[in-house]
Amino acid sequence: MMRVLRGMASLAVLVLGLVGGPIVLMTTAQMVAPRRLLQPEVWLRPDDGTVLLTVLWVAGWLMWAMFAALVVTEALGIGTSRRGWLRGPRMLVASLLMSVLALAPHQQAQAAPPPQHGISDAVPRREAPPEREVFVMHTVERGESLWTIAEQHYGDGGQWRRIAEANPLLADPDGLEIGQELRIPGIHRLDEAPVAVASTPGPTPPTPDPDLPQADAAEVPGTPEDLTSRNPITVAPSDVGLDVIDPVELEAARNASDPDATGVGDGPVQQAALLLAGAHVGLLASTGLAALWRRRREVQLATRPLGRRITHPPEEADDLVAVRDPESVAALDLVLRAVGAWCGVEVPGLRHVVATAEAIRLTFAGGAPPPPDWATRDGAAWVIASETAVPDAAAHNPWPALVSVGRGLGGELFIDLEADTQVLSGAEPVVAEFLDGWILDTITSPWADDLDVLVVGEHRGVDAAEVAHVRCISADELRAASADADTEPGRADAMAPAERRRRRAAGEDADRAKVLICPDPADHARLAPMAQRMGMSVVGSSTGPVRLRVEPPPDFSLLPDGTAFVARTVPAEVGTVLADAFDAVNATATDPAPWWFPTPDADHTTLPRAPQRPEPELPSNVVRIHPDRTMPRPHPPTVLESVDVNTDERIPSHPVVQLLGPVDLLGARGEVPQRARRSCVEMAAWLVEHSGATARQMSRDLFVVESTRRSNLSRLRKWLGRDDEGKAYLPEAHTGRVTLSTEVMSDWHQVQLYTFTGVNRSSTPSLISALELVRGAPLADAAPTQWQWAEVMRTDALSCIRDIGVELTARALADGDIDLARWAAGRALVAVGDDEQLLCARIRTEMRAGNHREVPRLAMRLTRQARSLNVDLHDDTITLVQEAMEGVARGSVG
């Protein structure tokens, strides 16, 4: 209604201006004498009012002519230059025209013929990709209109029509909503490379094949008609895996007027697709990758020899595991397990699941069972609101083959691969990248306990991941397995998915969910019948009857029930980065550590036996740190975990970022921020490691938008304050690079200074000083998915602290100082956790002290840690434990 009233009022203004103006001017023509203005004597005598009225009359005609020209120009759509003349009047006229045009029924712009009804049985092959227009996404903010948005991106509000045509689902061009996502076509990077790839003018949901079985529209709120009328999809590039420049970088590159916003002289935005949001692999996969790589790093750190450094994934992989909302995956897992526990043995099949910030919606195949009190029934679906308290059930997820297909119905869309055979159609490269997304989901899935996945052919990502439930298989191996299964008497492999779900829910010795993925259509045609006889659900591309249509994003793809979505694909270059990252986290080889002085005869395969190491002779131009410091003798705690790590309360003379324990900023001289304190500490830590970097580097690593980065940087600048000479610790970035004063350090940097000659060559007082800085695990109060940029620093700090603890304990035992040995190993264990070499050092210490009651407890911690990590104890460790508990090592022959 408001749109109609606004349009009628705008039409009235236009009519009055174009028609009413000339009528009024012509009726007053007899009251003026324009020719008299040309006579000189008229301007030399007092005016009786005629001259003034005549001047106003002429000005009125000029203003009407300008207004009419602007109306015609904007109506014809030729006012698209970037010149800023008459900006205000042009904006007013354009707003009036937009309101009038909004009265007409909205028609979706079509850049291509409408899609054909029916899906071809043949897999379409594209000889050459169609022409595509580049675009970026824009989130509508308060007070914005299509005109102001066009002004912001094009420099000319007259190009608002391009934005309206590129967003066919926009019902009212003059009534934008706050938070609405709009596609802005034609925006390139600063180096003229395209920002994103999108079809013009917008995604069109594909038409389902009338010959295929379609779901009831009343039960499935996912048909294209329902999608466009009630719940239009808004797709962010970071959610669908587009090759897109990060909006943070784009904004930072544009704001050259802000000294903290961009790096002058840093050149255009670089082509780094793998580091950008376009390389995102989806919420489920990124969450699973972060957890899987974290577990693999724990194994690497536990088995790392003394003085060595573990390998790290390539920097390009950091963004793939930078999860902004990992709790949503945990919430989905909790809901699925609770649903399985409620349904018991009668677990229904799933049609699809939609996870949004507001709720999780489970649409069942064949109707929804009666829901519990924490769920609401909506046709064939259950809806569980995000604020609902869902019981934490001990049951397994009844749908272990649940994977994400992309963005649909306003959230992340999931389907169950076990439920039915999934036959895909689409361009071969797109289908292959889509299947790679499913393979990645099954590798990293948090509910894959009851899942077995076989991928036909070679796949580097599967081989590099080294997970037990996903493996590659050749066609010949599958045929041999099928032949063996056919000869087994009474085999039950070919049971239906519903029966497998029932048996798993009943706790019987049931089959795991079995999925066969065939990326090659030829393999799919030959192997699908064989795999189905073995009870497998087959997934792949085929020339047979189509069940799922895949289109390149951001075009709409289509599920068998008619649900439209934007497919999530994993490009080949992203798959290469993932494989390299898996190789790094699975590697057993290590590199020389920068905190350890290499020796030619070093043996990194055995544990240290507390040798006596003389003090190294330092050059004459090197001064010891704390040369007269006496060795501390802290009171040995009765329980190891009770070590007090907060004994040093001294305020530093300059700001120090504390990273070795709970993160904090000490010694700052300014005003403590009331908001975003922890974000400011993280920014300070990043600047300590990257002083002199550009603003867009900071925004990319910290994952903050430009406005948030500037606000937090201003808070940090005020918090740090100024030094004794009045110089700001964080100056204004007038050079385009954010530079932190060299006086600002971190406790990790201080540890590196104490051990700059190598842990094995540093003086004992220096090692004690370094270990005193340790207040707990590095980044102790940061969530595993936060501070992703600091993962290398965190693991290096853990490794260095462990090595310091082992080295200092060995020296103390060699000197017969039991108190120092206990303190050193205990302090390091607080930070590192149950490390094998530190626990061995503790066992030696207690054996030396005659405290035989403590030895069995420490030995139990050793074996428990080895079991939890699924690693073997070192041979020297086993011998040490035997000597400690049995008095002598067990004999062997060989």
Side-chain angles (χ1 to χ4, degrees), residues 418-620:
E418 186 189 17
D420 197 4
T421 297
Q422 301 292 340
V423 182
L424 283 62
S425 74
E428 185 174 344
V430 178
V431 172
E433 294 175 355
F434 185 70
L435 286 176
D436 281 346
W438 280 358
I439 294 173
L440 183 60
D441 278 356
T442 58
I443 290 174
T444 60
S445 172
W447 43 70
D449 294 337
D450 297 317
L451 176 64
D452 281 330
V453 178
L454 298 177
V455 180
V456 179
E458 297 180 353
H459 195 284
R460 187 189 169 199
V462 173
D463 295 335
E466 297 183 9
V467 292
H469 65 279
V470 182
R471 60 187 180 91
C472 294
I473 189 173
S474 65
D476 293 338
E477 290 175 329
L478 185 63
R479 293 191 190 95
S482 176
D484 293 341
D486 290 337
T487 60
E488 293 181 6
R491 67 183 181 89
D493 288 344
M495 68 178 65
E499 178 63 17
R500 284 201 294 268
R501 287 196 302 270
R502 188 197 68 79
R503 293 182 61 181
R504 286 199 299 266
E508 301 177 12
D509 187 15
D511 265 347
R512 297 159 62 87
K514 296 183 178 180
V515 177
L516 181 72
I517 299 180
C518 297
D520 189 346
D523 288 337
H524 185 279
R526 293 193 305 266
L527 303 178
M530 184 188 313
Q532 290 170 349
R533 289 198 307 270
M534 299 172 63
M536 297 183 182
S537 298
V538 185
V539 176
S541 175
S542 175
T543 57
V546 174
R547 304 290 182 90
L548 191 152
R549 179 172 174 179
V550 182
E551 298 292 342
D555 293 342
F556 286 142
S557 299
L558 197 68
L559 289 183
D561 59 17
T563 301
F565 65 96
V566 178
R568 191 255 306 175
T569 59
V570 178
E573 58 270 19
V574 177
T576 301
V577 172
L578 286 171
D580 292 341
F582 274 117
D583 288 339
V585 297
N586 292 330
T588 58
T590 56
D591 301 321
W595 57 83
W596 195 269
F597 186 82
T599 54
D601 56 346
D603 184 4
H604 298 292
T605 62
T606 59
L607 300 182
R609 291 290 183 176
Q612 178 68 35
R613 291 177 174 84
E615 289 289 325
E617 294 184 2
L618 299 180
S620 58

Side-chain angles (χ1 to χ4, degrees), residues 149-285:
I149 295 173
E151 284 279 353
Q152 175 181 347
H153 291 280
Y154 302 127
D156 178 21
Q159 299 198 45
W160 61 269
R161 296 180 186 84
R162 294 183 62 186
I163 304 176
E165 293 172 356
N167 295 270
L169 300 182
L170 184 62
D172 184 5
D174 199 36
L176 302 182
E177 298 180 359
I178 299 175
Q180 189 173 3
E181 297 281 348
L182 298 178
R183 297 195 296 175
I184 313 298
I187 301 298
H188 291 74
R189 282 192 270 256
L190 297 182
D191 57 0
E192 298 303 319
V195 173
V197 180
S199 47
T200 304
T204 302
T207 304
D209 193 336
D211 296 332
L212 293 177
Q214 302 297 321
D216 187 1
E219 294 183 355
V220 183
T223 60
E225 293 80 11
D226 180 63
L227 187 70
T228 55
S229 61
R230 294 195 299 106
N231 196 9
I233 293 179
T234 58
V235 181
S238 60
D239 294 328
V240 299
L242 301 179
D243 182 9
V244 54
I245 195 75
D246 194 337
V248 170
E249 292 198 15
L250 189 62
E251 184 179 4
R254 283 185 182 142
N255 296 333
S257 59
D258 180 11
D260 281 342
T262 186
V264 178
D266 193 43
V269 180
Q270 298 299 316
Q271 176 76 26
L274 299 181
L275 287 175
L276 306 179
H280 198 266
V281 293
L283 184 61
L284 177 60

Side-chain angles (χ1 to χ4, degrees), residues 42 96 203 363 417 433 544 644 855:
V42 173
L96 294 173
T363 303
L417 296 184
E433 294 175 355
D644 183 8
V855 172

Side-chain angles (χ1 to χ4, degrees), residues 790-808:
E791 185 61 23
V792 174
M793 179 193 68
R794 186 187 71 87
T795 55
D796 283 353
L798 281 171
S799 301
C800 183
I801 293 170
R802 195 282 302 269
D803 291 355
I804 293 174
V806 173
E807 174 71 14
L808 189 55

Side-chain angles (χ1 to χ4, degrees), residues 276-457:
L276 306 179
H280 198 266
V281 293
L283 184 61
L284 177 60
S286 58
T287 304
L289 283 172
L292 182 59
W293 290 353
R294 190 165 57 250
R295 291 194 299 269
R296 301 286 174 83
R297 282 197 191 96
E298 290 177 358
V299 175
Q300 287 181 312
L301 290 172
T303 57
R304 177 189 63 88
L306 200 66
R308 305 291 290 181
R309 183 174 185 260
I310 66 172
T311 58
H312 293 278
E315 293 182 2
E316 293 84 353
D318 289 343
D319 285 357
L320 302 182
V321 295
V323 187
R324 295 167 176 82
D325 188 21
E327 292 80 8
S328 57
V329 175
L332 178 60
D333 185 35
L334 175 65
V335 167
L336 295 176
R337 289 188 288 107
V339 171
W342 171 264
C343 295
V345 296
E346 301 299 330
V347 179
L350 274 182
R351 185 169 287 154
H352 54 68
V353 178
V354 181
T356 68
E358 293 78 22
I360 294 175
R361 183 184 183 92
L362 291 86
T363 303
F364 299 97
D373 55 1
W374 41 266
T376 303
R377 184 170 180 172
D378 184 8
W382 287 2
V383 179
I384 299 94
S386 58
E387 65 272 9
T388 303
V390 179
D392 189 0
H396 285 185
N397 184 345
W399 303 283
L402 197 70
V403 296
S404 170
V405 298
R407 297 283 295 181
L409 299 178
E412 192 89 3
L413 185 64
F414 301 85
I415 65 171
D416 182 18
L417 296 184
E418 186 189 17
D420 197 4
T421 297
Q422 301 292 340
V423 182
L424 283 62
S425 74
E428 185 174 344
V430 178
V431 172
E433 294 175 355
F434 185 70
L435 286 176
D436 281 346
W438 280 358
I439 294 173
L440 183 60
D441 278 356
T442 58
I443 290 174
T444 60
S445 172
W447 43 70
D449 294 337
D450 297 317
L451 176 64
D452 281 330
V453 178
L454 298 177
V455 180
V456 179

